[in-house]
Amino acid sequence: MSLENVLNNWSKYRRGAEEGGHHDYEHKWAMMINLDLCIGCNACSTACYAENNLAVVGKDRFEKGQAMHWLRIERYWDQAEQEFPEQGASFLPMMCQQCNSATCEPVCPVAATYHTPDGLNAQVYNRCIGSRYCSNNCPFRVRYFNFYSYYESSWPEPLNMQLNPDLTVRDKGVMEKCTFCVQRIRVAKDKAKMENRKVGDEDFKPACVQSCPTSAMVFGDYLDEGSQVRKLWDKYQVKMGPAKQDKQEPDMRGYRVFEGLNTDPSVLYLERVREKV
Amino acid sequence: MAVKSFKKMKLNMTAYINIALVLLIGGLLVPAWLLAGDVKPPSGDHNGKEVPQPIEFPHNIHVKDNGINCMYCHTYARRSKVAGIPPTSKCMGCHKTIATDKPRIQKLTEYWEKKESPQWKKVHDVPDFVHFTHEKHLKKFVFDRDFPVENVKEVCAFCHGELENMTVAKKVKPLTMGWCRRCHEANGGPGDCWKCHK
Amino acid sequence: MTGTINRRSFIKMMGWGGVGTALGGCDVPTTVTLEEGKEDVVSYLMPEEYVIPGVGVWYASTCTQCAAACGTQGRVREGRVLKMEGNPNSSVNSGKLCVMGQAGLQGHYNPDRIKEPMIRKNGSLSLVGWDQALATINDKLNAADGARVAWFTGTISGHQKVLLNALLESNGSSKHYVHEVVGNKVLQAVSRDMLGDAMPKYRFDKAKMILSFGADFLGSWMSSPVHFAGEYAKFRTNKPRGLLVAIEPKMTLTGGNADLWIPARPGTEAAIALAIANELINAHNKDAAILPESVRNLIGQHSAESVAKQTAVAADRIKRLAQLLNERSPSLVLAGAPVEGQTNGYAATAAIMLLNHLLGNIGQTIESPGAFAFAQLEATTGGTADLIAFTQNAKDKNLDVAFFYGTNPVYSAPDALKFGDALKNIGMKVAISQFMDETTAQADVILPAASYLEDWGTHVAAYHSEQPAISMQQPLMEKLYETTRGFGDVLLALLQNKNKDKYGQYADYYAYLRHAFSAMPASYKENPASEEHSWNAVLQKGVIKVQTTDESLSTSIAEIDTPTIPASDSAYPLTLVPSVRLGLWDGRHANLPWLQEAPDQIAKVVWDSWAEIHPSTAKKLGIEQGSIIKVSSKHGEVTLKAVLLKGLHPDVVAIPMGQGHTEYGRFAKGLGVNPLKILAPEQEQKTGELAMYATNVKITDTGKKDTVVKIGSTDTQMGRKLVGTVPVEQVRRTEGA
Amino acid sequence: MSIVNEKDINEQIAWAKINADVLRSMANPRRAYWISVAMCLAMIACAVTAEVYQYTEGMGYANLNNPHMWDMYIATFVFWIGMSHSGTLLSAILHIIHADWRKPIYRFAEAMTTFSLMTAGFFPIIHLGRMWNMYWVLPYVSDRGHWPNFRSPLVWDAFAISTYLSASMLFLFVGMIPDLAICRDNAKGWQKKLYSVLSLGWTGTDRQWRNFRKTYMLMACFLIPLAVSVHSIVSSDFAMSIMPGWHVTTFPPYFVAGALYSGCAAIITLFVLLRYYFRFEEYMTKAIMEKTCKLTFAIAMVWTYLNLVEFASVWYGHDIYSKELLIAKAVGPYAWVFWSMIFCGSVLPFTLAFQSLRRNMPVMFVVSLFLNVGMFFERWMIVAPTLSMSHNPHQWDIMWGSIIEWAIVFGSFGWFGLLFLVFVKVFPSVSMYEVKEMVYHRRRHVVNDEAAEKFHRRASDSKTGTDEPGLEGA
């Protein structure tokens, strides 16, 4: 962003500040996760490891809390007081929520994390200087830092042949997080552009969505009225943008984690359903 | 006398401080303004060093003398992010018959018979966190503009220099980020970091 | 497009491969070379026209990470396979893939693969060429009496099975032992006797309620996790929404997703089932006439109240379940490992199965898969009975040559079986393996197998989904090590030695498959005119859909001998549950870092073994989270960390399988313990399967403590809404579920 | 005479003696000095070793993890920044309000400001994942044409601290010029050269004095808002976030108060040390100590009050996350830190309320140390618990500093000590000319004016070497 650019677009930045994140997107990638179908099987998480060159940190560093799982499945027992969890476990796939007014963006000293025109919360590895402020300011705690250089330890020959050349292998001192598989998005968009059409639902899926055995995850362009994900957001009467949700049917299942913090996440969760026997 | 004026100057410390501050601020902001206004297409050359290649491939002969299109050999350029080095089979396609007496061609034939391809050295290299794609650039500057494909070399030359006047390729443009950025700003290319850095 | 990438062009492509593997994000000046002439670029010699550098292409194949035979697609770029996904054409997994399938790549690129054949000469292994290795084997085979040659494999199907059978035949041997730790042989036996089909089709999508007695269909049941997860999704999204009740000793993934989870000590399930049957007959007047006299009496003895006393499952809860089953028809009642894994597992499973008869689910939610057109290709599923049989045979010195492929008995056999000693009686042990696992380490001849991403093959799922099919396996990239060979090629080589004139015509297994395909009826070919075209079409789709003839199940209920509840032993008060992790499975995936780092779905522990204990039991024994404890049975003991978990019956201690390898490469070796080792060698009376849930153990605290490496520091949400839960009534109102 | 009306300074001190005493303090270091220098160097060595290891192996060895992305380093950074404030307080604020009792002690306080800033500056750099790129936070002109994110408090930090550092160094230097002239006139050899350059040809003419006064006052006025802003900005590193326990409106004043507090405590410590080592009893008198203590006590009470304000606002607020965090602070794993912070910060200062204790140097020395320990705990309690127990309970985690972190923190004290030790031997740690002023003014009140007048004329006399010894340059 050259200085001129800043000055010319100042009003836009101001508006962004007022509305929380700028909202004039060309696409707005969004997700919907049906927690009633999520069985917590870890397929998405492992798919993420495979697609995004995530480092395997090993037992000791995992113990220190330095694991790099961009997508982790959180498991909770709902009935804490009971002797047996009779209604089973609650599973929550938690990854970067790609907030529209992300709290991580304003605090990065070098603007290594910022909002892309297609509504993604970007992390530019080669710009990152590792101040880790973004992670501190993330209420979901989904930003992971390369505390070590994992290249040798995590991909001993020939494991490194599996590394995905479409995205960078991060080295020590860099923050990273879920990107909604931006490399797939970019390829799909480029392909669509070469064919002079708009990118659609079927063009691509993030690794997690593609692997989910129960199809609990749905991904797409929120701005595309026809997209599956948009239909679902509308069905569950959750809107992106406004601080206050006004559901005609307040009992509808859709909700976003920490809605109250008004970070305007792009991931819609559907409450898990249980039948009392 | 000199000493005296020297002393005089020393006395006035506020002046010193003011000068210092002015220089400090000026030194930062003035060039900033100069640069901020600059959306001219990138200029500036880079004097790359001669890279020895297994076979001293004469671009000049192929491009200038024989007028072969760049994309005839670098055939992936319009289909992929990488332009690609022509496969040995393609070279042999012509050189089975053409100029077989030339030492270079004989060397090539040796490779071909050994069923190996030469270990070329990369000349135009960018860091691994930069994801440049030829495909899109060709689309914008050649196909969308209905630019005559036979003259595509003029477009290639923008980043790769005039290879028609070189034998083996030589890096003659800086290919730095600033260089790319200025071109993007001049031609309305994307300014989104995540276009090139992923 | 064909999946064959010839060696030359692959090697050349590696030049491009360098792009991805370089150190990226780091821009310490020393690691980023922008200088010209530093990196190599190697052009292709003769590129296939479909290979474009920088563009990934998806090829269809089949996953062999477990016996489910899911169809997969692999993303190949510059000759390297980079990512596995499900193949939408396969009705087994319909485009989805589980943890194990995702991690298959790491088995293929694993740094600990065996690269060259080895022969044991006076105790130590030495590298040899294939010719020598095969020669050694053939000499032995030619010398040996065919009846004393045995093959010991995992679940096997498709043309590999055909070749193997041919080989056995040519040896005049019938000794083919199929061993899987995770299997449902007892259930298969019961289904065969009571339904007339070992593997009937379970229609989750039709069922309004599922009552699962330890059937972890989301994890290990029928070893087809992805398929049943998909079925589960249909079951839940049905209107009205399906109701899932799980009765099991340790909360499995299925139990974790149940509407009601009821802990039950292993061995008590049958009693509960009979009590429910009792209720159904007496309270909900189900027709008992279909049952033989003895069975009716048996049911009569199990009133809800009496069973409640024996099993500590409240009587009104049993009544409620009966009522629900009566209301929600059709339903499904499933039996799983904890039921089968009893000395009277057959009876217990039968007692549960007859609920389906009572409820009239047969033909409704349990259907016949129909007869598969190519019987010779159908899967031979494995169990533990063969392990015991094989051990016995070896002990009796009945075996001169034994081949091991796709299974690791030395690891999975309980110490009490003395499998290791038995092996010593075998003249020559041949292991066809990718890794130096425990069994391979014992072998005299080691043949390095190609990974499933480098190999040809065909597979048929043991459990037939809606559309039974032959799933094609094709190489997604050139062999990493030229000196490895596919299983099919090895079989062919051995066959050619025996039967030159018949099998000599095939250059390799690929040629054999081509021939086999061309021999298939024209209806299976997209374009009968062009062999090549049809073949490519098949490879592109990845599956050959196979017609089946409709058949219906024959229901017959024979005698059921009383499923007695195992008496508890005061010296060994707890029952050991060797639980299956969807990931490490039976231990075969312990060398895949991704799966080691993927937390256990319920306990959320990584990289380790642990013993799950209910807090109340732990309190009694003075054990805390992370205490190092000794779990000892009459047949051995293991020392590991304690993890306090509510999802467990108080009389049970659960130790996940998969760890405790003494070999098997850098990622698996010396990590955790192997619960299978301390199992009692009890057998299921009818089927001879190992009774895996019938081992009593006791716990002693060593007084030491260690931190449990897991994700998630709290089990509760602290009243902050991360996961919301709503009653089904509300959803019925809003969404009409 | 009774203790009560003991004077700030004895107005009878001859100016020659002042020069002599101060210059003596700079001359021939004794063994104790060299030992302390050696110790400081050793401590620095520890830190350097630790840092080299961390730089090559990765930040992970500082026990950082998700959620603990910041830790000891930032706490220490805030601590040192805080330390730097009271120097400005004494030298600038008290200067413009003409509290002349500051005169004998402001010089080393001012030095302390500069040095603690120079120490603090290290920590944001050390804690960067890729410190070789740290200059990216500065708006330098780059070919890439992009800039730091001006919305980020960390960038404000970079500006604020560098400005404050340069300004306070300049202020320290400018304030020393007349004294440097005195040193010049009494030094020989290379020292003479050094001081001649540094004293910028000071001869003490009326014009010089006028310019000097103007400059000094101007800079004082410039420095005061700067000092306040710097710590407000540091506080906004936390206050600008949405994390419970950080997102607090009262943080800026709270931080400034805390800063002044720890600074004053540090001044007391150094006061006692200098007074003892350099025999400065006549200049650093008990009366001045009393005033310093009273000042410290007042600030301590302000700090305590602001603490209570914060607790109350959280307690009665609607932010459940902050409230749970506050409770966790008081009863959770960090409780012992929390309560010792309250004790050292709010209870211990009451010792300053008793005159007998105030005048007891050893006691004050110990107390002041504990006050600073308390303030270090305060910084830890600001940084750590929030990260441990923020919004998502799944990621809760308790963590203490690693050996690497402690080594570096430890070494930072060595670095500070070294700078200070060098300072006291190279520069006058008591402002001679201001003490002379002070003495002069006090004398005007007691002795008759002519006598004072006589001195005064001589004082502003530019020519040196008169019958009255010790007036050189003054």
Side-chain angles (χ1 to χ4, degrees), chain A residues 34-40 87 89 91 213-216 272-274, chain C residues 202-205 207 210 215 217-219 224-238 241-245 253-259 332:
Chain A
N34 183 346
L35 293 180
D36 190 35
L37 287 185
C38 174
I39 57 173
Q87 290 205 336
F91 297 105
T214 56
S215 316
R272 168 184 100 125
V273 183
R274 281 298 178 265
Chain C
Y202 296 90
R203 299 296 306 273
F204 285 32
D205 51 340
I210 294 178
F217 50 80
L218 295 180
S224 191
V226 187
H227 178 69
F228 285 112
E231 294 296 301
Y232 167 83
K234 293 181 198 157
F235 165 74
R236 285 298 206 189
T237 44
N238 266 350
R241 175 177 183 277
L243 169 68
L244 173 61
V245 178
L253 202 49
T254 309
N257 289 284
D259 293 276
L332 257 178

Side-chain angles (χ1 to χ4, degrees), chain B residues 26-74:
Chain B
L28 275 176
L29 289 188
V30 173
W33 276 109
L34 293 178
L35 190 97
D38 174 14
V39 288
K40 287 190 294 297
S43 54
D45 290 339
H46 167 95
N47 185 15
K49 64 175 195 289
E50 303 290 347
V51 180
Q53 301 285 8
I55 299 173
E56 196 201 7
F57 177 83
H59 280 94
N60 49 0
I61 296 176
H62 290 79
V63 182
K64 193 192 265 164
D65 306 357
N66 304 328
I68 299 172
N69 189 307
C70 306
M71 289 198 293
Y72 176 77
C73 297
H74 300 286

Side-chain angles (χ1 to χ4, degrees), chain D residues 339-390:
Chain D
W339 290 113
S340 27
M341 160 193 123
I342 296 290
F343 175 78
C344 299
S346 301
V347 180
L348 210 55
F350 279 92
T351 49
L352 302 171
F354 302 98
Q355 193 174 53
S356 50
L357 294 175
R358 281 204 300 261
R359 289 169 169 278
N360 181 333
M361 291 299 150
V363 172
M364 278 305 110
F365 181 68
V366 175
V367 168
S368 64
L369 286 181
F370 272 101
L371 295 187
N372 256 328
V373 171
M375 293 317 288
F376 192 91
F377 283 159
E378 182 225 16
R379 274 57 188 251
W380 174 259
M381 282 314 285
I382 289 171
V383 177
T386 291
L387 296 176
S388 297
M389 283 157 281
S390 70

Side-chain angles (χ1 to χ4, degrees), chain C residues 55-241:
Chain C
V55 177
V57 189
W58 294 89
Y59 293 96
S61 184
T62 301
C63 182
T64 63
Q65 291 288 92
C66 76
C70 294
T72 57
Q73 294 176 319
R75 176 164 173 262
V76 180
R77 188 181 145 176
E78 284 108 48
R80 298 180 295 133
V81 53
L82 298 171
K83 180 81 171 68
M84 300 308 294
E85 300 286 4
N87 178 357
N89 300 329
S90 160
S91 70
V92 176
N93 56 326
S94 48
K96 308 302 186 175
L97 205 58
C98 74
V99 240
M100 300 187 286
Q102 294 286 351
L105 290 161
Q106 290 201 313
H108 167 62
Y109 290 116
N110 198 294
D112 299 316
R113 278 182 63 177
I114 304 174
K115 300 182 184 65
E116 283 176 68
M118 285 180 262
I119 290 185
R120 189 177 302 277
K121 292 202 187 75
N122 45 52
S124 64
L125 288 166
S126 54
L127 299 176
V128 296
W130 269 94
D131 304 342
Q132 192 186 338
L134 287 173
T136 325
I137 298 169
N138 287 331
D139 298 349
K140 189 83 179 174
L141 282 180
N142 300 338
D145 158 16
R148 297 173 64 81
V149 176
W151 277 80
F152 196 93
T153 70
T155 298
I156 184 170
S157 69
H159 288 89
Q160 299 87 299
K161 180 184 164 188
V162 174
L163 279 185
L164 179 53
N165 288 339
L167 183 58
L168 287 162
E169 203 178 306
S170 62
N171 284 329
S173 156
S174 60
K175 292 202 167 63
H176 178 203
Y177 302 90
V178 186
H179 168 51
E180 291 281 345
V181 178
V182 183
N184 298 76
K185 290 297 258 191
V186 177
L187 176 58
Q188 287 177 34
V190 171
S191 312
R192 194 180 299 107
D193 300 350
M194 291 176 72
L195 304 171
D197 190 309
M199 282 232 184
K201 206 191 290 179
Y202 296 90
R203 299 296 306 273
F204 285 32
D205 51 340
K206 281 191 185 170
K208 293 198 173 64
M209 170 175 178
I210 294 178
L211 175 57
S212 153
F213 288 91
D216 178 16
F217 50 80
L218 295 180
S220 56
W221 191 69
M222 292 288 180
S223 56
S224 191
V226 187
H227 178 69
F228 285 112
E231 294 296 301
Y232 167 83
K234 293 181 198 157
F235 165 74
R236 285 298 206 189
T237 44
N238 266 350
K239 298 194 181 332
R241 175 177 183 277

Side-chain angles (χ1 to χ4, degrees), chain C residues 323-399:
Chain C
Q323 181 197 354
L324 282 166
L325 282 168
N326 183 42
E327 289 164 0
R328 312 270 174 109
S329 178
S331 60
L332 257 178
V333 185
L334 308 174
V339 185
E340 302 170 71
Q342 301 299 325
T343 48
N344 57 6
Y346 181 92
T349 313
I352 289 166
M353 183 58 83
L354 68 81
L355 280 177
N356 286 317
H357 291 75
L358 267 181
L359 292 160
N361 295 337
I362 317 298
Q364 289 281 336
T365 54
I366 304 182
E367 297 173 353
S368 161
F372 191 71
F374 304 94
Q376 76 280 16
L377 299 180
E378 282 220 80
T380 317
T381 59
T384 44
D386 281 14
L387 174 66
I388 298 169
F390 178 88
T391 320
Q392 200 49 50
N393 258 315
K395 281 207 189 107
D396 304 348
K397 303 205 165 38
N398 295 341
L399 301 175

Side-chain angles (χ1 to χ4, degrees), chain A residues 114 123 168 186 190 194 196, chain B residues 136 139 192-194 198:
Chain A
Y114 73 101
Q123 175 71 26
T168 315
R186 291 290 180 259
D190 289 359
M194 294 303 283
N196 298 316
Chain B
K136 296 284 292 300
K139 178 173 162 61
D192 178 8
C193 314
W194 251 7
K198 293 191 279 276

Side-chain angles (χ1 to χ4, degrees), chain D residues 2-269:
Chain D
S2 80
I3 296 173
V4 186
N5 48 34
E6 187 188 313
K7 305 179 196 122
D8 286 343
I9 194 157
N10 166 17
E11 64 278 357
Q12 300 303 347
I13 309 178
W15 293 3
K17 185 173 180 330
I18 298 175
N19 285 9
D21 288 344
V22 177
L23 292 172
R24 168 173 51 75
S25 79
M26 298 164 63
N28 50 28
R30 284 167 292 164
R31 199 207 272 104
Y33 178 83
W34 291 119
I35 293 173
S36 0
V37 170
M39 276 169 56
C40 292
L41 286 172
M43 290 161 86
I44 296 172
C46 298
V48 171
T49 329
E51 171 53 24
V52 168
Y53 185 70
Q54 176 179 287
Y55 178 94
T56 47
E57 294 302 312
M59 296 300 293
Y61 288 102
N63 265 10
L64 296 168
N65 66 0
N66 177 344
H68 283 275
M69 291 291 177
W70 287 0
D71 217 17
M72 192 72 76
Y73 295 143
I74 298 300
T76 321
F77 161 71
V78 179
F79 174 79
W80 280 115
I81 291 279
M83 191 78 95
S84 71
H85 274 52
S86 40
T88 322
L89 173 74
L90 267 86
S91 48
I93 301 180
L94 296 187
H95 173 67
I96 60 172
I97 62 171
H98 300 297
D100 75 341
W101 59 267
R102 74 180 249 285
K103 288 189 159 82
I105 60 168
Y106 87 90
R107 171 68 50 76
F108 75 80
E110 183 64 33
M112 191 181 83
T113 299
T114 314
F115 298 149
S116 47
L117 269 172
M118 288 165 76
T119 318
F122 279 117
F123 283 89
I125 297 168
I126 287 173
H127 111 292
L128 282 186
R130 306 202 298 168
M131 65 168 72
W132 52 89
N133 291 332
M134 63 190 173
Y135 61 93
W136 287 355
V137 301
L138 299 173
Y140 69 99
V141 177
S142 137
D143 169 50
R144 300 164 179 173
H146 57 157
W147 301 89
N149 174 10
F150 292 102
R151 293 186 296 171
S152 166
L154 285 187
V155 175
W156 312 345
D157 269 353
F159 294 145
I161 292 165
S162 46
T163 320
Y164 188 41
L165 179 60
S166 41
S168 57
M169 278 172 105
L170 211 51
F171 191 57
L172 174 66
F173 168 66
V174 170
M176 271 196 304
I177 288 169
D179 282 358
L180 290 171
I182 300 180
C183 302
R184 176 196 60 201
D185 300 341
N186 294 277
K188 294 174 196 49
W190 65 270
Q191 285 165 314
K192 190 155 190 88
K193 287 200 189 63
L194 172 72
Y195 293 124
S196 339
V197 175
L198 289 179
S199 56
L200 302 177
W202 177 271
T203 50
T205 62
D206 288 356
R207 177 137 179 280
Q208 288 183 338
W209 275 112
R210 267 202 306 286
N211 288 333
F212 172 74
R213 293 264 176 247
K214 273 209 216 78
T215 319
Y216 194 68
M217 180 57 84
L218 177 131
M219 291 198 63
C221 303
F222 176 64
L223 207 56
I224 293 160
L226 202 57
V228 176
S229 74
V230 163
H231 222 50
S232 311
I233 286 172
V234 170
S235 80
S236 57
D237 286 352
F238 304 97
M240 293 286 168
S241 79
I242 65 162
M243 289 295 116
W246 283 5
H247 186 60
V248 180
T249 329
T250 55
F251 256 17
Y254 178 59
F255 268 54
V256 174
L260 294 174
Y261 188 7
S262 58
C264 287
I267 288 174
I268 297 177
T269 320

